[in-house]
Amino acid sequence: MAYFSRARELADLTEIVTADAPQPVAVLGPEGSGKSVLLKELAASSAMPVVAMRGSEIEESWPYAGLSALLATLDSVLDTNCLASISDLLHPGIGSTPQAISQSLYASIESFRREPSLVVIDDADLLDPASQEILGYVIRRSGITELRVVISVCDMPPSSPFHGLHRLRMEPLDICDLLDLGRSLTPSSTAVSALEHVASASGGSPMAFKSILDELPEHVLTGKAPFPIAMRTGSRFATLIEAELATLSAIARESLDYLSTSPFTPVGLFDRVEGTSREALDELVASGFVIQEYGRIYIVSSPIRSAAYRALTARGRLAIHAELAGAAGEGYPELRTWHASYVEHDPRHSPDLLTAARAFAEQGWTRLAVDFAERGLALNSDGDLSEHLCRLSMTLLLDAHFNLARRYLHMARGRDLDVAVPPGLALLTVLLDYIRRQEVVAHGIERTVEAFGTSHPTECAELLCVAAIARLERWELTGAQELIARGASLAGDQAPIVRALTELAAAYEAGLTGKSLPGECDVSRRSGIIRDGLGVEASRILTARALSLAERYAEARSALEDVTNHSPHVGTFWTIFALQVTFSNELRAGQYHRARDAFAQIDLFVRSQSHFVVNHAYMASMIASMDGDVDAATEGLHTGIRLVTPGAGAAQEAQVAIRQARIAMSRHEFELAADYFYRARHLSGPLRNPQLLRFHVDFIAVLVRVGRRSAAQEILAEFHASAREMPSAWAARALAICDTLVLDDEASLRALRTTLDTWADGDHEYLRARALYLLAFLHGRLGQRQEAETATLRAREIFREIGVEVGGAPCAPAEELPETTPLLDLLTEKELAVVELLATGAKNQAIAHELFLSVRAVELRLTNIFRKIGVTSRFELMKVLAGELDARHRAG
């Protein structure tokens, strides 16, 4: 079954038509935007009787044809007699006015009121004008609430009979929706880069996207052959475009023909050509066929360019290419090569085209880079272009176009994957494999070093050192050190990259084993050595990672801000990498507001890519946990688990188990949480410093909770031993809490009070709030309600200050709060906002509008609210919370 790309619009429509006070809706969008599919889905999913019809151009000139067809369907479905009630008025000889017919029809519909019914009119703007006028009058009348009317039109100007209806505009689909649609329409072997390219060419139109996909052969979709420059569309979409092009004047169409022969045309070159004119250009711009910016002219969409180009005869295309190649001359060398490649079809043009593609990629003109690269490959698909493709892939990688980088990397490698590849290609493979799913494929590295170590020692050393960085990022210190030593044996221990990795590994070792990093000045000196070998951005980001592991969060933040604050001047790849390390650093520092900000920026970069997806899914899960959204946290975690390759690393697998345990805690499934924590403990065994995973407090608390106190004492003893060998400020605070957990209630209470009395503000505030919750729990168990409430309120204040929603802390499940805790205190601030609006009688759509959310987000929050309060309906929720809401409002 094909992916339905308009799920958000369907949810919004459903909310409107099922409301107690519905309003008629007009769905606006151009041909091919998915209006008809949306209305079909709405009708298919409706529990109400459905009256559906579609306007037709054939009937457009028949007065009242559309109205008669609609009323006939209405009578058939709803057992009414509306058509017969006005049939006399529709007779041409009567001379009835549309207003008289409208009033009579309105009265007839009122007299036949039934249960709510859904009326769907697709392409209502294709109905005859008289029918549109009458239906517009009837639909706009608010008295007939039983008929829930939804129409679709291409546009709704002020003169439209439907003007004034509630509008739902069909915006162009974003690349994420188009990729999901593409995956549902094509075999699993289809390359993501192919789907991305078609999505970019479609202009967000699902019809254009599907139409182009249908015309592409399998070997192009799987990445084994280059794209055609003018991609074909299906006959239906091509007919629509031809109808639009037919509206142009002859001189404008001729200018469009010239423009269609290349991805862009400089204004200066356009002016040199005899068959073009500025008047024609003005017409094309005014008609929306082309845009002009930065001195260049572009046709707005690939389908329009393709239709114009393919409408030319072969001789006509050749003549235009020859004329433009001559006109380009020395002033526009890349376009001279482009057009000459069609005239001469010489494979020697390929390197120049790929060089131009790389230059466009460096300037951020990705679409142009792809067009030039694909043309170069089409000219010389069997030639050795690996060096040019490798450079292009690296440029695309640094601009975070990972799928395109992988596409050209595969083409550079060729089809025989068992052959050792040159170090440059192997290095790209290591980077892309790690970026995508945090893999480090050792056998490919070994083959390359064995084959090229003697002839290319420096390049192989660089390959080994980049692989070592990936190992360090996975906390695999020993493996990284072995790779660095092999690099030193090839290039010498004084090679800049070897020196850089030696210093970097020493810094990671300090962070991973609890050793002290040198002072700030010495760190700066060592960072200079790393910078000489790896470059400015890499040195700052990787040094920041080591500082964060050593709990020097402020220094790490400063180093990362040097990258992120200058993001327009550094590659997108480095910006994303810096933001990911920032997210991790702020989580470790307990600065959750900052972590949210970093994730929001990452989300803008990553959500349209199929790389960084593992980290992104886990980060989304953590953010959802902070918000108290257990379902979204679970979904994000499951997405990450599904994408992770087996053997992705002990640290990552242990972190997954910890996330699973904390979600189980939030669901009050403490036995299950204990099992997950035991798995994390097992997986963290190979790590030099398991306490870096920071799960011991929750693990011990869960064991105590389920009555396994001796097991808790065993884990506590392990924690003490690890902290003695590898001390840290976090471990000291965490142990102070854990020590109290295994005591009896009164002794635990005294110990916790002592710990909190010496706790300074700003020192590991998450742990401090955790300790206050435990203190509140103990006070509650001992019947000290006032003290319990005081501790609870302070804990909640701290959580809000650091950016954790109150219900989002796994350390504070509802069952552990004192009995006097109000039910409203179980909810997050975001959930409280929903409850406040519910209390006013607002429906989901109104709540979504007020809080700037999607209807789906409101539904998810309601689900969490019902679960926390222990109810199953809005009515029950309002009944249970009525007293507390009244008290809250009286208190101001």
Side-chain angles (χ1 to χ4, degrees):
M1 180 179 177
Y3 167 78
F4 179 56
S5 57
R6 294 292 187 180
R8 289 184 294 272
E9 289 86 348
L10 178 60
D12 291 342
L13 266 184
T14 302
E15 180 76 13
I16 294 170
V17 300
T18 57
D20 294 337
Q23 50 186 324
V25 184
V27 178
L28 275 68
E31 186 77 24
S33 61
K35 302 190 304 292
S36 298
V37 175
L38 174 61
L39 266 59
K40 286 179 182 177
E41 288 289 332
L42 177 68
S45 62
S46 174
M48 298 180 283
V50 178
V51 178
M53 72 162 293
R54 185 172 188 176
S56 169
E57 292 178 345
I58 298 175
E59 301 172 347
E60 194 172 5
S61 60
W62 299 355
Y64 305 122
L67 177 64
S68 300
L70 174 64
L71 295 182
T73 307
L74 188 75
D75 291 342
S76 174
V77 173
L78 303 182
D79 193 25
T80 58
N81 199 27
C82 293
L83 181 57
S85 69
I86 64 166
S87 58
D88 291 342
L89 297 175
L90 300 180
H91 194 278
I94 299 297
S96 301
T97 64
Q99 183 178 7
I101 298 173
S102 301
Q103 292 171 348
S104 180
L105 176 59
Y106 185 82
S108 176
I109 292 174
E110 278 197 308
S111 68
F112 286 108
R113 288 192 175 185
R114 296 287 191 273
E115 73 274 11
S117 305
L118 177 63
V119 178
V120 175
I121 309 174
D122 193 13
D123 290 335
D125 46 355
L126 294 183
L127 298 175
D128 60 277
S131 294
Q132 289 190 48
E133 185 174 353
I134 292 167
L135 288 174
Y137 173 87
V138 174
I139 290 171
R140 287 197 303 270
R141 295 292 293 268
S142 59
I144 309 176
T145 59
E146 286 80 3
L147 293 184
R148 317 298 173 88
V149 182
V150 179
I151 68 169
S152 76
V153 292
C154 287
D155 197 8
M156 200 162 61
S159 59
S160 168
F162 305 115
H163 185 70
L165 298 187
H166 179 81
R167 301 176 182 221
L168 180 65
R169 191 172 294 279
M170 302 287 277
E171 300 294 345
L173 292 180
D174 64 26
I175 194 168
C176 298
D177 284 328
L178 287 171
L179 289 179
D180 286 337
L181 178 60
R183 292 185 185 102
S184 74
L185 296 170
T186 58
S188 58
S189 58
T190 301
V192 179
S193 60
L195 295 178
E196 283 184 351
H197 185 59
V198 176
S200 178
S202 71
S205 165
M207 178 189 279
F209 181 71
K210 290 189 285 187
S211 183
I212 296 171
L213 280 180
D214 289 342
E215 296 296 318
L216 287 175
E218 181 183 355
H219 61 282
V220 172
L221 288 174
T222 54
K224 296 175 182 175
F227 286 104
I229 298 305
M231 291 188 287
R232 292 182 183 274
T233 59
S235 58
R236 181 185 171 195
F237 199 74
T239 300
L240 291 172
I241 294 173
E242 282 297 340
E244 293 182 31
L245 295 180
T247 64
L248 293 173
S249 67
I251 189 171
R253 180 59 191 264
E254 185 179 1
S255 291
L256 188 67
D257 290 342
Y258 275 85
L259 294 172
S260 72
T261 59
S262 61
F264 75 98
T265 303
V267 174
L269 179 57
F270 181 85
D271 289 339
R272 293 181 188 179
V273 179
E274 188 174 334
T276 64
S277 71
R278 282 300 182 100
E279 292 79 12
L281 179 60
D282 291 341
E283 181 183 342
L284 290 171
V285 171
S287 302
F289 287 104
V290 306
I291 56 174
Q292 180 180 340
E293 59 183 10
Y294 303 114
R296 292 172 174 171
I297 307 166
Y298 305 86
I299 296 179
V300 294
S301 75
S302 180
I304 292 175
R305 179 181 162 207
S306 175
Y309 188 71
R310 293 190 179 279
L312 294 167
T313 64
R315 181 176 294 182
R317 294 176 200 162
L318 186 63
I320 292 176
H321 281 302
E323 183 179 356
L324 286 170
E330 298 298 324
Y332 308 102
E334 69 282 355
L335 285 171
R336 183 187 61 201
T337 302
W338 171 275
H339 290 292
S341 74
Y342 286 88
V343 178
E344 302 164 4
H345 210 82
D346 188 341
R348 288 177 296 180
H349 289 306
S350 292
D352 291 338
L353 288 166
L354 288 170
T355 300
R358 184 186 176 202
F360 285 128
E362 288 173 341
Q363 297 168 46
W365 300 96
T366 309
R367 284 282 301 278
L368 300 183
V370 171
D371 281 340
F372 274 74
E374 299 295 322
R375 179 59 186 160
L377 289 166
L379 278 176
N380 192 11
S381 58
D382 297 325
D384 183 11
L385 300 171
S386 59
E387 184 177 344
H388 293 282
L389 289 168
C390 186
R391 291 173 181 168
L392 175 61
S393 294
M394 180 60 79
T395 301
L396 290 166
L397 182 151
L398 292 175
D399 204 28
H401 293 290
F402 305 116
N403 292 315
L404 286 173
R406 185 172 290 276
R407 172 182 177 81
Y408 297 124
L409 171 63
H410 283 170
M411 290 184 170
R413 290 188 59 168
R415 295 173 184 169
D416 192 351
L417 299 181
D418 292 327
V419 175
V421 299
L425 292 180
L427 187 150
L428 268 170
T429 303
V430 168
L431 284 172
L432 286 167
D433 284 344
Y434 183 76
I435 289 167
R436 182 170 61 171
R437 298 199 177 171
Q438 299 191 333
E439 299 171 305
V440 182
V441 184
H443 61 272
I445 299 170
E446 290 297 327
R447 284 204 304 264
T448 294
V449 173
E450 288 174 8
F452 295 92
T454 303
S455 58
H456 297 75
T458 303
E459 291 87 345
C460 286
E462 290 176 354
L463 168 63
L464 291 164
C465 288
V466 168
I469 292 172
R471 294 286 184 195
L472 288 174
E473 283 291 284
R474 287 160 44 120
W475 297 2
E476 295 169 359
L477 183 60
T478 301
Q481 291 169 331
E482 291 171 355
L483 289 168
I484 296 167
R486 291 192 63 191
S489 71
L490 290 172
D493 56 11
Q494 293 304 304
I497 194 166
V498 174
R499 291 187 66 207
L501 262 294
T502 302
E503 291 290 348
L504 185 64
Y508 269 70
E509 182 177 19
L512 290 169
T513 59
K515 297 178 182 177
S516 296
L517 275 174
E520 193 168 344
C521 292
D522 199 18
V523 166
S524 179
R525 180 189 65 79
R526 296 188 181 194
S527 180
I529 296 174
I530 298 171
R531 182 178 62 248
D532 291 341
L534 297 177
V536 176
E537 290 82 10
S539 69
R540 286 172 176 165
I541 295 168
L542 294 169
T543 301
R545 178 80 87 183
L547 288 165
S548 182
L549 291 172
E551 298 187 4
R552 288 165 62 169
Y553 308 120
E555 291 174 58
R557 184 180 302 125
S558 177
L560 292 165
E561 285 174 349
D562 284 342
V563 179
T564 57
N565 289 347
H566 297 87
S567 57
H569 307 290
V570 301
T572 307
F573 168 77
W574 295 118
T575 302
I576 297 174
F577 190 13
L579 287 169
Q580 289 198 341
V581 177
T582 297
F583 181 86
S584 172
N585 181 60
E586 300 306 346
L587 278 186
R588 295 180 65 79
Q591 296 296 321
Y592 297 98
H593 287 302
R594 293 176 184 267
R596 286 175 194 279
D597 291 342
F599 178 76
Q601 295 179 67
I602 292 168
D603 201 42
L604 293 175
F605 284 114
V606 176
R607 70 188 190 92
S608 63
Q609 293 283 352
S610 60
H611 288 68
F612 285 119
V613 286
V614 175
N615 273 352
H616 187 256
Y618 291 152
M619 286 189 284
S621 177
M622 284 183 255
I623 291 291
S625 289
M626 291 182 210
D627 291 340
D629 191 339
V630 181
D631 294 332
T634 304
E635 181 181 349
L637 183 62
H638 286 172
T639 298
I641 293 171
R642 192 167 61 248
L643 294 169
V644 147
T645 304
Q652 186 182 93
E653 292 183 19
Q655 287 168 338
V656 168
I658 293 165
R659 292 294 317 138
Q660 290 172 313
R662 286 176 173 152
I663 287 173
M665 288 177 68
S666 296
R667 296 188 185 279
H668 307 164
E669 297 169 349
F670 298 108
E671 288 285 358
L672 180 61
D675 291 341
Y676 281 128
F677 279 131
Y678 270 113
R679 173 170 169 73
R681 176 200 186 201
H682 169 72
L683 290 168
S684 64
L687 300 177
R688 298 274 287 273
N689 188 358
Q691 72 186 31
L692 285 172
L693 296 170
R694 296 186 171 182
F695 66 97
H696 299 78
V697 176
D698 291 333
F699 191 8
I700 293 167
V702 163
L703 290 173
V704 171
R705 172 66 188 245
V706 298
R708 294 154 72 175
R709 194 172 291 269
S710 60
Q713 291 171 331
E714 179 186 352
I715 301 302
L716 179 59
E718 290 179 5
F719 190 9
H720 270 290
S722 172
R724 282 194 296 272
E725 183 181 355
M726 291 166 281
S728 71
W730 178 88
R733 287 300 190 190
L735 279 169
I737 297 173
C738 293
D739 285 338
T740 69
L741 292 172
V742 297
L743 304 173
D744 61 55
D745 286 353
E746 291 191 359
S748 180
L749 185 66
R750 288 194 297 272
L752 262 180
R753 279 176 172 168
T754 301
T755 297
L756 287 165
D757 286 343
T758 60
W759 206 303
D761 288 343
D763 180 12
H764 292 94
E765 291 292 83
Y766 184 93
L767 281 178
R768 185 184 183 193
R770 173 64 194 269
L772 284 162
Y773 267 124
L774 291 171
L775 184 68
F777 177 56
L778 292 170
H779 277 306
R781 287 247 297 239
L782 296 172
Q784 300 165 356
R785 294 188 174 185
Q786 184 62 45
E787 291 86 348
E789 289 184 0
T790 301
T792 299
L793 289 173
R794 181 60 187 133
R796 290 179 181 279
E797 287 174 7
I798 292 173
F799 273 136
R800 291 191 178 103
E801 287 168 4
I802 63 176
V804 178
E805 295 285 356
V806 174
C811 59
E815 294 172 16
E816 291 191 5
L817 298 177
E819 293 180 6
T820 54
T821 301
L823 290 173
L824 287 176
D825 280 358
L826 302 179
L827 306 179
T828 67
E829 291 293 333
K830 294 178 179 178
E831 289 165 349
L832 281 172
V834 172
V835 169
E836 292 283 1
L837 290 170
L838 275 178
T840 68
K843 303 298 182 184
N844 286 7
Q845 186 188 18
I847 295 172
H849 182 268
E850 183 70 23
L851 299 180
F852 301 99
L853 299 171
S854 68
V855 175
R856 177 61 179 154
V858 174
E859 291 169 352
L860 288 173
R861 288 190 187 172
L862 278 174
T863 299
N864 287 329
I865 292 167
F866 289 172
R867 176 180 55 78
K868 289 180 180 181
I869 304 300
V871 297
T872 58
S873 69
R874 297 166 184 248
F875 175 78
E876 192 178 355
L877 179 70
M878 290 296 100
K879 185 177 179 181
V880 168
L881 295 180
E884 290 189 22
L885 286 169
D886 287 343
R888 183 185 181 92
H889 294 152
R890 285 196 301 271

